[in-house]
Each structure stands twice: as structure tokens, then as C-alpha cells.
Amino acid sequence: SGRDAPLSAWLQMPWRGAFRTLELAPLDDADAVALLTACGVEPAQAARVNRVARGHPLALTLAAITLRSLNDPALEDLAFHRIIDELARRHLAEIGDPVTRRAVEAAAVVRSITVPLLGAMLPDVAPSDAYERLRSLPLMRLAREGLQLHDTVRDAIARELHSSDPQRYLTLRRACWSRLTRELRTAPRAELWRYTADLLYLLENPVVREAFFPSGAQRYAVEPARPADEAEILGIAERHDGPAAAHATAAWWKHRPDSFGIARERNADVAGYYVLFEAAGLGTTLALDDPVLAQWVAHLAANPVAASERVFFLRRWLSRADGEAPCAVQAACWLDIKRAYMALRPDLRRVYLTVRDIALYAAAATQLGFVVLDECATTIAGERYVTAVLDFGPRSVDGWFEKLVAAELGMATSGLLDVGAREVVVGSRRAPLTRREFDTLYYLVQHAGNVVHREEILTDVWGDGADVASNVVDVVVRSLRKKLAERANVIETISGVGYRLRDDEGAKP
């Protein structure tokens, strides 16, 4: 046994026909709870503990010991003090090389780490070298989106960094956000969902994290429903919502089966489903057959969007085991739904959804910008369904992301730049920015106090194809200074080199 996978030579030896490998992985939910209950932890509490430990055997063992010795402390104390501290200490203690340690800390801040992200987060380190150092560590696994730390180890190291050096922790997250938003502008459509997940991961709201990134979500493949899935879908709907509410699911399946997405187990069984469709072209008869849809149609009619803007209705999501409650199946479905969001950018304006237990999602919904529509509350067979709506704003998903994540990183509104509104702020006066003005000022803000070469702005802000001999940067800076008015001197000209944003109070977001 060992931490590294067998070399290829092992597979080429004479015994290759009988040779096999067994990778030790985190325990699944049932085995994790079984381990805790065997250690004397009550089953109900064991499930709560595993939401923090995420199947990590050492974390589970530490949790059981702590519960026995400290007489059932609060879950937060259990998670953030004993488990997190011990895991971070053990794993970081094994990394003696300072560059590798910094790279591990950077990897702990993000969902997946790539060479470009390492270059942005550790500008004084060769990113390819740092990536190879990470790749050689047994702590890391190679996923399609990049290198990833195990969930529990990643959380532990991130918490340790947040506690010991909060400014560096914030700086790493800001650098990651800046790089991702830049890549997002030119990302191919097929990759937009990945940026959705990466940007959402930067949110620190624990409810959002639990809803979108629970362990186990990667076990499910999400794909369009097939005709053979009808019986399982309607069975899940009736089990959790009852016959009357399931009638609406059956009606929509009859009219638009293509609106159903399925989360499948590895054996191809249906683990859960969601129903997502556009409001445009919705038949009035179907809407009236479903009281929830009828309320949405009425609200949209009373609060219309522009002709070019589009609206999604997320009618329901349910998992076979957990219903509408947060779980790995739901997280897999939500990430797939966010892919649909990205596919409609920049035209998607609004999303409607319904839940029965709004309390499960109150914190996440508030963080993400959802608003509960009391006037759309509906009762079906004695059960109350609550409607929430997310209005992305005139800049669609892009504006929503910028405002959402930038606000948490302390970058939404500075003394100089409002990222969400894309406006320059001078006292009580605001002025809108063109795309090039915004990109240039934002780049200067990100490098406040440092000299930025004209060539860097042309390459990093406008792309490698920009004409480096052009004076377009000077023209944009002059326009910015005009809008900055009495604060125009905050942008300094460095003769023969480029520009520097003075690192005055309020200049850096």
C-alpha cells in the first residue's frame, strides 16, 4: 500500500492479468454514519457531523472523540476547532517546500486549480512549476476542470489560512475572481457552466456551499430525460409532493418532456429530476392546469421584461431520497441548471422557482438575490408552495455574477469604482463607463499602487490581438480622467512606461 498509484511497470509484469488496484476514498454517507454510530454518536447527530466531515475517516474519528469528551458541543465548535485545526495541521506539516505550501493554500481557496489561476494568485511563482508540484502531491486529484483537493482537506486548509492570514486569504480570492471573470468573457459556450461553478464557489455563505458543493455530487450524471424515465419521475413526484401536485408534473411531461433533466446513478437509475423551461411560448391551457404556473404567468404579465429578454421557469426539482432538501442529487441538478443560465447570456433576465419549505433555502436565496413573491404563494392539496424570483438585472447573468461575488470580496463598491453598476464613483456623483473604460479602470484598481505598462493593458485587458503600437490606451485614460473630474490625478502617467493608480484611501476596492 502507499499514497501514490502504481507505476505503469506494475501493469506490464507477468502477473498483469491478475493485478488490480484499490483506491481508498472517502466513505459514502451510509458508511460514514455507521462509523460514527459505532463510536457512540447518535444517528441524527451523525448525519449532521458528516455534512462537515464529508466522509473523511480522520475527520469522522476526531468528531466522535470530541463529542464523547466535550459533552456534545455545538456543531460549529466541532467543525472549526477540533476537526479543521487538526486536519490542516497534519496535512500542511508534511509540506516542507514553501512554494508548494503556497500553491496548496491557493488550491484550497478555489474549487479547482489550473495553471492560469496559479499564475494570477501567485504572480511571483512560475505557474507551470507550481502546478506540477501540486500534481505530485497525494493530496491532489486530477479532475476534468483541473487539480482538486479533497473537500474536507480543502476546507480545513482554507479555514486555517483564513484564520492565520485573512488579508492573504482575501487577496487570493480576489485574484481568482479577477482571472475567472476575464476568462469568462471569451470562454466557449460549452465551458460556461464550469465558470459558473468556480465563481459560485468563491461565495463563503455556508448554506450556498452546502447546497451547491456537497460531497458526492460528482457521482451523478445529469442529462435530458428519456421516454423510459416517465414512471420513475412521476413516482418521485407523487412520493414527495402527493398525487394532486404530481398531476402538474404529469401534465408537463405530456406536453414538454424535453424540459426534464435527470440525475442518474452509476447504474442508470433515476436519482432525481428537475423541470426547467422558458416562459416564451407557454400555452395558457397548461398554465391554468397548474396553479403555480398560472401565478407565474400572471406575475410576468403584470411585470413584463423587454422583448429581447428571456425568462426561465424552474417548476420543480426533487431527489428520490431527499425530496427538495439540499443533497448531492440536487447539487448536481443545480449546476446543470446554471449551465442553462449561461447558455442564455446575455439575454436571460429572470428565473422563477417554487419550494414548499422556504426555510431550507432562506440564507442561500438571500445571498443569491432571490426575492419571495408572497402574492404568488399557492396551496395544492393542503400544501403551501412558495414562489421566489431572481432578477439578474439588465446585464443578465454576467452582471449578476460580478455583483454577487464582488460584493462578498469587498469589491462591489469602492471609493472609485462600482463593479456591479459599472460606474465610476466620485463623491455622490456617478458616471457610466464604456466597456473599455470599465475594463481599464478595473485593471488599474486591481493593481493599485503598482506601475502598469501599456502593453500589459493591451494584452491582459483587450487580448493578445490588440495593436500594441496604438494609442488607444491613452485615449481611454483621458476619457476616464474626464469622468473622474476632481479625482483625475488618481491615475498617474509614468513617462515612457504606462500608468499607476495611486493607492489612496478608497482607491482600491
Side-chain angles (χ1 to χ4, degrees), residues 131-368:
Y131 186 85
E132 289 304 317
R133 290 173 188 245
L134 286 176
R135 190 171 183 172
S136 67
L137 295 176
L139 294 173
M140 309 298 301
R141 71 180 184 90
L142 181 62
R144 190 172 73 88
E145 301 89 354
L147 292 175
Q148 295 178 343
L149 284 164
H150 176 267
D151 295 340
T152 307
V153 176
R154 180 173 56 195
D155 292 347
I157 295 174
R159 289 287 175 184
E160 170 68 20
L161 180 61
H162 191 195
S163 298
S164 62
D165 194 344
Q167 185 55 49
R168 180 161 175 264
Y169 178 73
L170 179 60
T171 299
L172 289 173
R173 294 172 68 217
R174 283 178 169 176
C176 178
W177 183 85
S178 299
R179 180 69 198 189
L180 288 172
T181 52
R182 279 176 49 205
E183 292 181 6
L184 182 61
R185 297 171 193 163
T186 56
R189 188 172 295 273
E191 289 294 309
L192 292 177
W193 72 270
R194 179 173 70 84
Y195 290 96
T196 302
D198 288 338
L199 286 166
L200 281 171
Y201 188 83
L202 291 177
L203 293 172
E204 294 232 296
N205 183 301
V207 181
V208 174
R209 281 286 184 88
E210 181 63 25
F212 282 96
F213 304 104
S215 58
Q218 66 275 12
R219 297 199 305 264
Y220 303 98
V222 182
E223 62 185 22
R226 307 168 188 166
D229 297 325
E230 178 181 3
E232 289 189 82
I233 290 172
L234 298 183
I236 293 172
E238 185 163 347
R239 175 182 177 183
H240 292 287
D241 284 348
H247 175 75
T249 303
W252 190 252
W253 176 267
K254 178 180 178 182
H255 285 78
R256 287 284 303 277
D258 60 306
S259 65
F260 284 74
I262 299 296
R264 294 194 187 279
E265 303 271 11
R266 289 177 177 171
N267 62 5
D269 288 346
V270 175
Y273 73 92
Y274 70 85
V275 188
L276 181 73
F277 48 92
E278 279 198 72
L282 179 65
T284 56
T285 302
L286 180 62
L288 294 176
D289 285 345
D290 180 352
V292 173
L293 271 179
Q295 291 284 356
W296 291 355
V297 170
H299 183 271
L300 183 57
N303 303 271
V305 298
S308 62
E309 295 176 328
R310 302 164 79 172
V311 175
F312 264 153
F313 287 160
L314 176 54
R315 178 57 183 87
R316 203 72 176 109
W317 70 81
L318 291 171
S319 79
R320 185 177 61 219
D322 300 285
E324 70 174 15
C327 61
V329 172
Q330 182 212 74
C333 289
W334 277 21
L335 285 179
D336 198 65
I337 290 166
K338 298 304 178 291
R339 299 182 198 186
Y341 286 9
M342 300 302 287
L344 289 189
R345 60 191 283 267
D347 300 322
L348 182 61
R349 176 61 188 256
R350 195 179 297 168
V351 176
Y352 292 80
L353 61 80
T354 186
V355 293
R356 288 166 59 183
D357 188 356
I358 190 63
L360 283 173
Y361 297 96
T366 300
Q367 182 80 5
L368 295 174

Side-chain angles (χ1 to χ4, degrees), residues 35 62 71 91 94 97 102 137 165 211 263 273 276 295 304 337 339 359 372 400 406 439 464 477 491:
L35 173 60
L62 289 169
N71 191 26
H91 289 296
E94 298 177 1
D97 175 60
R102 289 177 61 200
L137 295 176
D165 194 344
Y273 73 92
L276 181 73
Q295 291 284 356
I337 290 166
R339 299 182 198 186
V372 174
W400 173 66
D439 290 346
D464 295 329
V477 169
I491 302 179

Side-chain angles (χ1 to χ4, degrees), residues 383-418:
E383 293 289 344
R384 188 170 185 265
Y385 289 79
V386 178
T387 287
V389 64
L390 170 60
D391 192 308
F392 291 106
R395 292 191 55 249
S396 189
V397 178
D398 291 344
W400 173 66
F401 268 138
E402 287 179 2
K403 192 171 184 178
L404 185 70
V405 182
E408 181 163 315
L409 297 181
M411 300 167 68
T413 303
S414 71
L416 190 64
L417 179 64
D418 185 330

Side-chain angles (χ1 to χ4, degrees), residues 410-459:
M411 300 167 68
T413 303
S414 71
L416 190 64
L417 179 64
D418 185 330
V419 174
R422 299 178 77 86
E423 295 175 335
V424 66
V425 181
V426 180
S428 59
R429 183 178 59 81
R430 290 171 172 262
L433 298 170
T434 67
R435 178 175 179 178
R436 280 192 167 178
E437 288 172 345
F438 174 83
D439 290 346
T440 301
L441 182 56
Y442 181 74
Y443 190 77
L444 290 171
V445 167
Q446 290 299 295
H447 297 82
N450 299 317
V451 176
V452 176
H453 292 246
R454 288 179 178 83
E455 291 78 5
E456 290 177 321
I457 297 176
L458 287 166
T459 301

